[in-house]
Structure formats: C-alpha cells, structure tokens
Amino acid sequence: MPSCAQRFSSQAVSTQPATDPTALLAEVVAFAMDCARQGETDLLARYLDGGFPVDHPDADGNTVLMLAAYHGHAGTVGLLLDRGADPDRLN
C-alpha cells in the first residue's frame, strides 16, 4: 500500500467539479485517516491548514487523533492536540 505522501504526490488535480460531493468528502476523510494511521504529520498538518476539521469523524466515528494515538504516532498526536483535537471524544 502506498504511503499518504506517495498517494498525495501522484494525485492528478482535476479541473472538473465533483459530480458526487458525498463521495469526494468520503475520499478526503479516508485520506486524512490514512495519514493519521501512518504518522504522516506534515501532510496531515497541510490538510488541517487547508480547512480539514480536526475532529471530523470517519464512518466508524474515529477521528484522526484516535487513529494516530492507536498506531503510536506521538508526534502526530501532539500536532493534533495543539490544533485543538478533543482527547475525550468517543467513537
């Protein structure tokens, strides 16, 4: 499985509007969750800088903080807490 950074750098930017905004949102959320799982702190910070809500849940109720912590990425957890992630949120 390619890393988030590899997937990000290989993504073609479309000039066409999304035909299914729900599918596009699901793709963005999945990408952010994968970055959290893999400890891609810098890339996740760029997502947050671009407006991704720090406590946005995936379909299972997980947040990027939950996944980063579960996978042992202390640096990513620190970034997310600094950005206001709720450490008491339940999934």
Side-chain angles (χ1 to χ4, degrees):
M1 175 177 188
S3 73
C4 287
Q6 289 169 330
R7 285 175 44 208
F8 183 78
S9 65
S10 69
Q11 292 291 328
V13 178
S14 173
T15 58
Q16 300 297 319
T19 57
D20 183 358
T22 302
L24 180 60
L25 176 61
E27 187 177 325
V28 168
V29 171
F31 187 80
M33 298 300 164
D34 286 345
C35 289
R37 280 185 199 93
Q38 295 174 14
E40 293 281 355
T41 306
D42 293 337
L43 191 50
L44 196 52
R46 290 176 62 186
Y47 253 52
L48 297 172
D49 292 343
F52 186 81
V54 72
D55 284 324
H56 193 288
D58 66 8
D60 296 322
N62 298 309
T63 65
V64 288
L65 177 62
M66 292 172 190
L67 295 175
Y70 180 82
H71 290 278
H73 301 296
T76 306
V77 168
L79 167 85
L80 295 168
L81 291 172
D82 288 347
R83 297 291 185 95
D86 181 359
D88 298 318
R89 185 173 177 135
L90 301 175
N91 56 354

